[in-house]
Amino acid sequence: EFDPAPLPIGTDYEFVNSIMSKLYGMYNKSELSEAAMRDVLLRLKNEILDEDKNSVWEDRPNLSKLIPTSIEGMQDVHFRGAERTELSERSLDWLRENGKCLDNIRPGNSTIKQAGRGAFATRKLKEGSLIAPAPLLHIVDRSSLFSPRSGSEQELLLNYCFGHEHSNLLLCPTTSVSLINHSSEHANAEIRWSKTMSSDGKDWRAASLEELADEFSARLMFDVVATKSIRSGEEIFLDYGPTWEEAWKQHSRDWTPHYTSEQYKYVPSNFLNAEQAPITEDITNDYPNHVYLCRVEPYIRVDLDDVNDEMPVPVQDYYANPSINLDHWDETSRVLFEEDENDWWWPCDVMHVDEERNVYTTRIYEKKVFEDDNGHLNTGGRLIREVTNTPRDAIRFVDRPYHSDQHLKTAFRHEIMIPDDMFPLHWRNDYVNGALLANSWLKDNWDEKSAEQKEQHTQKLREAKCGLYYAPSTIPNSGKGLYAGVDIDSQIEVESWVPPIVIPDVDWNVTDDTPRWDGSDYTWEGAAYGVEFEDPNDSQLLAVDMGMMANFHPGLVNAYLGPTHFNPLLDRNVDPGAGASSDYAGHSFISNREIAAGTEVFISYGETWFTFRKQLQGVPLRNNYNEANVISASTISLFTGPKGIQGLDKNGIEAVFAVLKDVIAEPRTASVLSSINTMDDLVHVMMSRGTAEITAPVKSMEWLEEHGECIDHIYVKESTIKQAGNGAFARRFIAKGDKIIVSPMLNTWGRQRYNMNKDRAEHDVNEKQLIYNYHFGHPNSTLLLFPVTRSISINHSSKRPNAKVRWSPTDKKTQYYLQRHIKDLRNEKYATLVMEYVATRDIYPDEEIFIDYGPEWEEAWEEHVRRFEEAANDRAQASNSRSSIYNMLSSSYKKSEGGFSSMLIKEMNHDKLNSKYHPWSEDHFHVCKVSEIPDLESDEWINLYDGDEANDYFGITYDHDGFDLMRFT
């Protein structure tokens, strides 16, 4: 791994060398024992020079690391220096065995006219011998070589790099290999991947482009190898490939001279300097492709901030500046700057020419490239000095930015081609990555739909024959499931709102002799629906319709649970119907992808549904289908291969796939792949866009009509009957005698299952669960039957019923058990009997649907109303009936004179940031939505604010869901 610690610098080595030489001399002249001398070295290393123990040296942390701890080490530093003792000495034999020679080639003018320089052998090279290694810098995206200002548009570096026509990757050699020119006729060398490529031992040819992009060292390497014997002095050639050669020939045919005017004819700056071309005051016109550089000291001691309109530019005589002459420099500075020739040259203008004395007055500019008023780039920033008597040899020409030959618009640009059989396929643009192909099969789409798009879907449902069917599932042995009757776009409600039924204390009354509850496999955790506060212990819920009828296919979940809407319609203080129906106006499942008509709708129960059930532990989970997709996609991608590469044939594909299946260790994944054996099977997977998809074929509308039942002829909204809460309304016309909806019935054996444990509540509660109201039953039987569809919303009316219920005459199991003893029905664990709701007259769209619950139910309701009204009169006379929170409410929220109610909670949520409601009461508390489970031991708490602060607090706005208030349980 990269060590961020700083490396020793030259002065560190000089310091240690000086100390060790003096100590070594002292030791040889003294009578110090070896033990004493070692102690001196240890104290010097661990105490005196340790930056942690002596702050004087904290800016030079490497000194102590360089101090030896032995007499031999001190002697070695004295004679060889600390800088060399750190290095391992290598013998020539070791270098011949482990190294690669870099000087088998030398530069020279190529024998090919247009090639510029070339590479020539410095010694005789045998066929098959290494000419030179070429460590390669990788450029993952060649677009980074795009030069927007240069006429050629691409950097010259491209010509020296290796690449492939179907890849953006470039590999640029870092040795003199870049000098080797092209010749298809006289090629005497070739590139090969080096067998000793990277010091880390990793084969970087197997790395992905993403991995290469994160690696900044040269990890790849070519070896240039002689393909025939090469004489000393012979030019070395590679064959760049037919693509490169054709590109060069086309360039040669298309090439025209760049400059048509003699005035703008380009002359190389090195030629002008060699010829001592005249220096003029008007370089823009006389030398339009060049600028001047003037030689002064490498650093200019002028504070640029002091140069302004009020402060004139310093004027200096060239020969009066001692810093220009190295003879006036101290030894350390001279060593530091004398080899950095380019540091001495600064952008300049010539203001005056003294031809007699051959000296010039120049102006020196900051080293900076800028764009002038004409849009031209110039070298030279702010004016920082004026120099008189500048000699001719202190002025030279340099190309103006983007004016040298390499920036010609017509300059040739093309990478050297790497042969197909050398280039890793997974670096190609046309390579089909199995994982990416499999990922492209995923159809989830989380883009929110507009209100208009949602309304369009609602209208589509009204016009359709059926929007949701109940029919045999595509999953074997899973009974029936739900199917889309129309095309459903992503992020659309698959079903209309259906009230969920909360079941607190569901297991409290269970004893050893309590009959099994068939609903246990249908319940959801209350937290999933936002109803967990109904029960302080373990609130559960029955989510009718999709939550009880849709199946779970881990690889094909196409609908997810949407929000639950808390919307009490009745006030407990004035409405006898309060508490008789669910206050949760509804929930729905929302599509997370496009669902074609005829597709089975799958929801998720959570994968623990399978893992916690012994008989289902072999069922493949989502990750198993994803893994199977990758294996299938990777295998089928071998069929054609990238462009120009011969892929495997049908037999090869099937053989490879068979091997892959055999080595899959995860049994669930193997079971997914078990039905896929042939090339045709793999094509089927690809066309279906997944291994899960082939297990659930789309059904035709004819099949659904024949084998299914429509369950969306009705939708749910507030009933026309005041005390009924929600009701069921016709979505489309239903003729007399037609089925409105069918509903499997969930069996409950023993009515005590729905008794409430009154002792657990802090005040009087109803002794029966709310779910009791939604059951069908008979006075002479303990069996209760719960409809698992939205038919639970069909209300009672003895005066104007337009529907009736009957046992399904076509469902075989229903007819079977109607002829059997009731004890036989106990053998069925899931909803078995099917009831049909049938229109007793024509029902028109948006008309509410009613059935007659029977005289016993009606008498019970009327008695309930009578008792409620008597109790209401008694409460009205009580003076202490109102709760503390009720008394805080404004009069506009007091629906009655009775006190607190769920209706008031709903109204409070409309004004949730009102500080009057922030204190908790015996009737309510607050809950806040958080993205993570909070640390209850943390001292960091979010306070509620009101007024303007509330709309600007951590991005929380006035209508934020997180501030919903819930009634106290």
Side-chain angles (χ1 to χ4, degrees):
E1 295 184 1
F2 175 69
D3 183 3
L7 296 172
I9 59 176
T11 54
D12 292 335
Y13 290 113
E14 293 171 4
F15 183 84
V16 172
N17 289 343
S18 175
I19 293 177
M20 290 300 104
S21 292
K22 290 177 181 178
L23 287 177
Y24 179 73
M26 179 271 295
Y27 174 67
N28 284 334
K29 296 176 182 177
S30 68
E31 296 181 357
L32 277 178
S33 66
E34 289 188 14
M37 190 65 234
R38 283 196 301 271
D39 188 52
V40 169
L41 294 173
L42 284 173
R43 291 180 181 274
L44 182 65
K45 182 181 185 71
N46 298 331
E47 298 175 8
I48 300 174
L49 295 180
D50 189 288
E51 74 276 9
D52 294 329
K53 299 174 183 176
N54 191 342
S55 60
V56 173
W57 303 105
E58 62 183 7
D59 60 339
R60 301 184 71 176
N62 293 295
L63 289 178
S64 64
K65 299 175 183 177
L66 297 176
I67 300 298
T69 58
S70 66
I71 307 298
E72 295 77 14
M74 177 180 65
Q75 180 178 338
D76 196 19
V77 171
H78 169 69
F79 286 106
R80 295 199 301 140
E83 60 272 24
R84 294 198 62 83
T85 58
E86 282 195 311
L87 304 176
S88 299
E89 293 291 337
R90 301 300 190 189
S91 66
L92 286 177
D93 290 338
W94 184 94
L95 288 173
R96 291 188 184 102
E97 180 180 353
N98 298 281
K100 296 186 176 184
C101 184
L102 289 170
D103 73 341
N104 284 331
I105 54 179
R106 62 167 177 81
N109 293 333
S110 177
T111 57
I112 299 177
K113 183 178 181 182
Q114 298 295 331
R117 294 180 182 84
F120 294 82
T122 57
R123 55 183 62 88
K124 183 179 179 181
L125 300 169
K126 297 180 180 179
E127 180 181 351
S129 64
L130 175 70
I131 297 175
L136 302 164
L137 288 177
H138 50 269
I139 300 174
V140 173
D141 185 1
R142 68 172 61 207
S143 64
S144 61
L145 295 186
F146 175 72
S147 179
R149 290 190 176 275
S150 176
S152 65
E153 296 186 351
Q154 297 229 347
E155 299 282 359
L156 177 62
L157 178 61
L158 179 67
N159 286 4
Y160 295 90
C161 296
F162 292 81
H164 193 279
E165 62 179 320
H166 296 298
S167 177
N168 291 328
L169 177 68
L170 293 175
L171 301 175
C172 308
T174 59
T175 62
S176 53
V177 165
S178 58
L179 293 168
I180 301 176
N181 287 314
H182 162 77
S183 175
S184 57
E185 296 181 3
H186 305 292
N188 51 12
E190 65 180 10
I191 56 171
R192 298 176 185 174
W193 288 112
S194 176
K195 295 180 179 179
T196 56
M197 207 170 318
S198 177
S199 59
D200 63 1
K202 177 179 178 179
D203 186 353
W204 282 84
R205 289 171 298 181
S208 67
L209 293 178
E210 290 76 14
E211 289 177 291
L212 285 175
D214 292 334
E215 176 59 42
F216 299 102
S217 300
R219 296 296 189 183
L220 297 163
M221 183 160 64
F222 286 152
D223 284 342
V224 179
V225 178
T227 57
K228 59 181 70 174
S229 294
I230 301 175
R231 303 183 307 275
S232 176
E234 183 180 350
E235 186 168 4
I236 298 169
F237 295 107
L238 287 169
D239 184 348
Y240 289 2
T243 302
W244 186 96
E245 188 164 38
E246 179 55 36
W248 170 254
K249 290 178 180 178
Q250 186 63 44
H251 168 77
S252 300
R253 290 191 292 267
D254 297 340
W255 182 84
T256 56
H258 181 67
Y259 297 109
T260 56
S261 170
E262 188 66 28
Q263 178 184 2
Y264 291 99
K265 185 176 181 180
Y266 174 75
V267 179
S269 56
N270 64 325
F271 178 82
L272 295 176
N273 292 325
E275 294 295 322
Q276 287 283 296
I279 301 297
T280 69
E281 298 172 5
D282 189 8
I283 189 172
T284 302
N285 289 315
D286 295 337
Y287 301 99
N289 297 304
H290 302 85
V291 293
Y292 293 131
L293 295 181
C294 293
R295 191 179 189 278
V296 291
E297 71 269 32
Y299 55 90
I300 296 180
R301 301 171 185 172
V302 173
D303 187 349
L304 297 180
D305 293 333
D306 292 339
V307 179
N308 50 52
D309 294 338
E310 291 75 23
M311 178 74 68
V313 176
V315 179
Q316 188 178 65
D317 187 284
Y318 187 87
Y319 293 102
N321 180 6
S323 297
I324 291 178
N325 190 338
L326 271 176
D327 294 338
H328 297 286
W329 289 38
D330 60 69
E331 182 178 357
T332 302
S333 299
R334 186 183 305 117
V335 171
L336 186 63
F337 285 100
E338 66 181 348
E339 294 183 0
D340 297 328
E341 176 65 18
N342 290 328
D343 287 344
W344 295 73
W345 293 89
W346 293 70
C348 62
D349 277 343
V350 174
M351 305 303 299
H352 176 71
V353 178
D354 187 338
E355 295 182 355
E356 284 187 30
R357 298 170 54 227
N358 198 23
V359 294
Y360 307 85
T361 299
T362 58
R363 291 194 299 187
I364 310 300
Y365 294 90
E366 187 183 1
K367 291 182 178 180
K368 182 179 180 181
V369 176
F370 72 98
E371 188 175 285
D372 61 22
D373 295 337
N374 298 320
H376 300 133
L377 286 177
N378 287 287
T379 302
R382 288 188 296 172
L383 177 64
I384 55 177
R385 180 184 295 177
E386 187 172 308
V387 180
T388 60
N389 295 319
T390 304
R392 174 63 182 83
D393 60 5
I395 304 173
R396 72 181 187 188
F397 294 90
V398 68
D399 289 321
R400 195 179 295 275
Y402 298 112
H403 278 62
S404 65
D405 283 348
Q406 78 174 62
H407 300 291
L408 289 174
K409 188 173 184 178
T410 57
F412 179 71
R413 292 288 185 271
H414 205 287
E415 73 274 31
I416 305 168
M417 308 311 295
I418 301 174
D420 282 342
D421 58 356
M422 277 188 64
F423 196 76
L425 296 180
H426 62 282
W427 290 349
R428 293 174 57 131
N429 298 333
D430 54 358
Y431 179 76
V432 180
N433 182 293
L436 294 180
L437 176 60
N439 189 58
S440 71
W441 294 343
L442 301 179
K443 308 176 182 67
D444 289 2
N445 186 336
W446 302 98
D447 295 336
E448 182 66 25
K449 291 295 183 291
S450 66
E452 181 182 1
Q453 290 172 311
K454 293 177 181 178
E455 179 57 34
Q456 290 172 353
H457 180 74
T458 300
Q459 186 59 34
K460 182 195 296 184
L461 290 177
R462 285 180 172 272
E463 298 170 357
K465 189 172 184 179
C466 179
L468 198 62
Y469 285 93
Y470 177 58
S473 176
T474 55
I475 303 177
N477 304 316
S478 294
K480 293 184 178 181
L482 299 182
Y483 291 80
V486 297
D487 291 338
I488 304 174
D489 204 351
S490 60
Q491 298 304 306
I492 293 292
E493 290 181 345
V494 180
E495 60 175 353
S496 61
W497 286 6
V498 185
I501 312 301
V502 183
I503 318 172
D505 295 335
V506 67
D507 292 325
W508 185 256
N509 298 296
V510 176
T511 61
D512 292 340
D513 58 351
T514 301
R516 183 194 74 242
W517 185 41
D518 291 349
S520 60
D521 278 340
Y522 290 87
T523 58
W524 294 74
E525 294 293 333
Y529 284 77
V531 303
E532 67 267 39
F533 301 110
E534 289 286 352
D535 175 5
N537 297 290
D538 183 21
S539 182
Q540 297 185 57
L541 163 147
L542 286 178
V544 297
D545 253 22
M546 287 192 65
M548 298 185 73
M549 301 176 72
N551 286 313
F552 176 24
H553 189 311
L556 285 177
V557 174
N558 50 20
Y560 66 96
L561 179 62
T564 301
H565 303 275
F566 179 69
N567 185 35
L569 300 174
L570 303 173
D571 189 323
R572 70 175 72 171
N573 301 297
V574 296
D575 296 316
S581 59
S582 176
D583 279 343
Y584 295 92
H587 71 276
S588 61
F589 281 83
I590 301 171
S591 57
N592 57 7
R593 60 180 69 177
E594 294 179 1
I595 303 175
T599 300
E600 185 168 1
V601 179
F602 295 108
I603 63 175
S604 174
Y605 308 161
E607 293 192 344
T608 53
W609 169 268
F610 298 109
T611 57
F612 284 178
R613 288 168 169 79
K614 185 176 181 180
Q615 71 275 21
L616 299 177
Q617 289 181 358
V619 173
L621 306 179
R622 179 180 177 87
N623 285 340
N624 301 118
Y625 285 103
N626 290 342
E627 183 182 10
N629 286 347
V630 172
I631 293 171
S632 300
S634 296
T635 304
I636 201 167
S637 298
L638 297 171
F639 181 60
T640 56
K643 183 178 180 181
I645 300 296
Q646 179 62 46
L648 296 179
D649 60 12
K650 177 176 178 291
N651 293 333
I653 291 289
E654 293 176 355
V656 169
F657 189 67
V659 171
L660 292 176
K661 286 172 58 176
D662 286 342
V663 300
I664 298 302
E666 168 50 64
R668 290 189 181 97
T669 303
S671 71
V672 175
L673 297 172
S674 61
S675 62
I676 307 170
N677 299 294
T678 68
M679 183 66 182
D680 291 340
D681 294 337
L682 286 168
V683 171
H684 182 39
V685 169
M686 185 174 70
M687 299 303 293
S688 301
R689 300 176 68 82
T691 53
E693 280 71 8
I694 65 173
T695 66
V698 176
K699 302 297 186 181
S700 67
M701 291 298 102
E702 292 76 16
W703 185 91
L704 289 174
E705 285 292 325
E706 180 181 353
H707 298 91
E709 299 281 0
C710 184
I711 65 166
D712 86 325
H713 286 322
I714 59 176
Y715 66 94
V716 180
K717 68 175 183 178
E718 185 175 351
S719 175
T720 58
I721 298 178
K722 167 65 177 171
Q723 299 300 326
N726 289 297
F729 294 79
R731 189 189 301 277
R732 50 188 75 93
F733 175 76
I734 305 171
K736 178 181 178 180
D738 285 353
K739 282 181 284 189
I740 300 171
I741 191 171
V742 300
S743 182
M745 310 299 282
L746 186 65
N747 306 325
T748 297
W749 304 96
R751 301 185 180 210
Q752 72 272 24
R753 168 69 69 170
Y754 297 129
N755 291 342
M756 286 289 291
N757 178 45
K758 299 173 65 175
D759 295 337
R760 299 177 71 195
E762 296 178 358
H763 55 279
D764 287 341
V765 296
N766 199 305
E767 64 182 12
K768 290 290 187 184
Q769 296 266 13
L770 171 63
I771 192 175
Y772 193 78
N773 286 2
Y774 292 93
H775 281 81
F776 285 85
H778 192 277
N780 297 328
S781 175
T782 60
L783 174 65
L784 294 176
L785 298 170
F786 178 80
V788 301
T789 66
R790 66 191 73 180
S791 62
I792 65 166
S793 296
I794 298 177
N795 287 316
H796 162 76
S797 176
S798 59
K799 296 179 181 179
R800 49 192 179 106
N802 51 12
K804 66 178 182 179
V805 294
R806 71 184 183 193
W807 294 115
S808 171
T810 57
D811 184 77
K812 294 180 180 179
K813 275 195 172 184
T814 300
Q815 292 301 313
Y816 172 79
Y817 282 111
L818 288 177
Q819 301 174 48
R820 307 290 295 180
H821 193 279
I822 192 171
K823 67 179 182 181
D824 295 333
L825 187 59
R826 290 178 180 268
N827 297 324
E828 291 289 344
K829 185 178 180 181
Y830 299 105
T832 304
L833 301 176
V834 176
M835 189 173 284
E836 296 180 349
Y837 296 72
V838 182
T840 56
R841 62 169 175 82
D842 289 348
I843 302 175
Y844 293 88
D846 300 316
E847 181 181 350
E848 187 167 3
I849 297 169
F850 299 104
I851 61 173
D852 187 347
Y853 288 3
E856 294 89 348
W857 186 95
E858 191 161 48
E859 289 174 8
W861 168 253
E862 290 173 352
E863 176 62 21
H864 168 76
V865 173
R866 185 187 63 77
R867 291 198 307 268
F868 178 88
E869 290 175 347
E870 289 178 356
N873 292 331
D874 293 341
R875 287 195 304 270
Q877 298 174 9
S879 60
N880 59 348
S881 60
R882 294 171 185 163
S883 69
S884 59
I885 186 66
Y886 179 82
N887 291 326
M888 289 191 293
L889 294 171
S890 62
S891 59
S892 63
Y893 291 122
K894 295 179 180 179
K895 302 298 183 182
S896 74
E897 295 298 318
F900 190 82
S901 74
S902 297
M903 283 283 287
L904 293 179
I905 282 288
K906 179 175 71 172
E907 300 297 345
M908 289 165 64
N909 277 323
H910 292 161
D911 194 20
K912 67 187 74 174
L913 296 186
N914 190 326
S915 60
K916 291 188 300 183
Y917 308 148
H918 294 171
W920 289 11
S921 76
E922 63 182 13
D923 296 304
H924 90 287
F925 64 95
H926 309 89
V927 294
C928 294
K929 183 179 181 180
V930 293
S931 58
E932 298 177 350
I933 298 176
D935 178 7
L936 298 182
E937 297 181 357
S938 172
D939 293 331
E940 297 180 6
W941 294 88
I942 294 179
N943 298 314
L944 292 176
Y945 288 78
D946 61 334
D948 292 339
E949 287 183 305
N951 283 328
D952 190 27
Y953 185 72
F954 285 88
I956 296 175
T957 57
Y958 184 83
D959 58 350
H960 196 278
D961 290 70
F963 286 118
D964 281 350
L965 306 181
M966 303 290 290
R967 63 182 176 276
F968 196 66
T969 53

